[in-house]
Amino acid sequence: MKIICIGRNYAEHAKELNHPVPEEPLIFLKPETALIPRRHPFYIPAFSNEIHHEVELVLRICRPAKKIQAKFAYKYYNAIGIGIDFTARDVQKTCREKGLPWDKAKAFDHSAPVSPDFIPVEAFPDVRNIDFHLTKNGRTVQRGNSGDLQFDFDRIIAYASQYFMLKQGDLIFTGTPAGVGKVAINDVLECFIGNRSMMRLNIK
Ligand code: ZN
């Protein structure tokens, strides 16, 4: 399986990093090794002094999709979870300055924990109005709603599937709202969809 991620998909987050909101989706990949086994902590890697949390709604693809039109995209995901797109911001800055790809900053081991449970799409009255948030040590640090996405779920699937064939079990990280920040040893992160706690993660 593969993990597809969308960058700068909430205008307020693009702004906080001083980036323009992109005119087409900004897309990157993470490998399967970016997942974290259930109940394992996240260990801050030795190569970074600035690991940022980016909480994101995650789509689970349920059937093969190639060059899908946006109007049919809803048929290709059947569940929504939540994940953290861990980013080595210092490494990313260096890569960007040198004009190099970001993979070391984004696709490293355990950089994409996702909730053990996904919520079936039918359980949401409206996928364009899903509240989610992240707490760090009990305090809310990021809060988002899928209605504020620059490119909504259907457009993301349509766009990504023009380049990459999606397969059952692939995951799509849909972008992070404002409030990204650094994690430190002993932090506890907790991700919520609505009021439901979906994942708790200890930082080591
Ligand atoms: Zn992200």
Side-chain angles (χ1 to χ4, degrees), residues 145-166:
N145 181 288
S146 59
D148 295 326
L149 283 168
Q150 198 72 17
F151 302 100
D152 66 17
F153 298 158
D154 293 345
R155 289 177 72 193
I156 290 171
I157 288 173
Y159 186 84
S161 71
Q162 304 303 309
Y163 297 88
F164 311 111
M165 181 177 174
L166 307 178

Side-chain angles (χ1 to χ4, degrees), residues 5-8 13 28 30 54-56 85-87 106 173-176:
C5 304
I6 307 298
R8 300 179 207 163
H13 167 62
F28 56 94
K30 298 195 187 218
E54 295 191 356
V55 71
E56 313 198 0
D85 166 21
F86 278 121
T87 304
K106 282 286 197 183
F173 277 61
T174 55
T176 197

Side-chain angles (χ1 to χ4, degrees), residues 102-117:
W102 299 348
D103 303 52
K104 288 194 293 182
K106 282 286 197 183
F108 57 89
D109 291 348
H110 297 171
S111 60
V114 294
S115 52
D117 294 322

